[in-house]
Amino acid sequence: MNKDTIETILEGLFWLATAWLTVFLFLTIFALANIAGQMDEYKIIQVSKLAILGLSVYIFVWVARGLLVKKWWY
């Protein structure tokens, strides 16, 4: 595979990860709004898993793209 193909694939994965992060942050906000009156430690931990999952996928793809293509910013 040539460098342009790899760069195009990683660029697509980066934008997919950005969409993934956006969806999971909206899910986190929606979940927090639903448990607003009845927050306990268990529910807060469950909701925070949504944000952590979305952010971890985004950071993984961002780092992979940066290391392989040397393109850290868009």
Side-chain angles (χ1 to χ4, degrees):
M1 296 179 94
N2 62 12
K3 186 176 179 180
D4 290 336
T5 305
I6 293 172
E7 186 174 342
T8 303
I9 290 170
L10 288 173
E11 191 74 27
L13 286 175
F14 174 72
W15 287 112
L16 187 62
T18 302
W20 176 275
L21 175 63
T22 304
V23 166
F24 272 82
L25 288 180
F26 277 121
L27 286 174
T28 302
I29 292 167
F30 180 72
L32 284 172
N34 280 337
I35 66 166
Q38 53 202 0
M39 286 189 190
D40 59 0
E41 290 177 6
Y42 177 75
K43 288 181 182 176
I44 292 172
I45 290 171
Q46 294 295 355
V47 170
S48 66
K49 286 180 185 178
L50 289 170
I52 291 170
L53 179 64
L55 191 60
S56 64
V57 169
Y58 178 79
I59 289 174
F60 175 77
V61 172
W62 181 72
V63 168
R65 176 179 167 237
L67 291 175
L68 294 173
V69 185
K70 306 292 189 252
K71 188 174 182 182
W72 293 99
W73 311 111
Y74 187 76

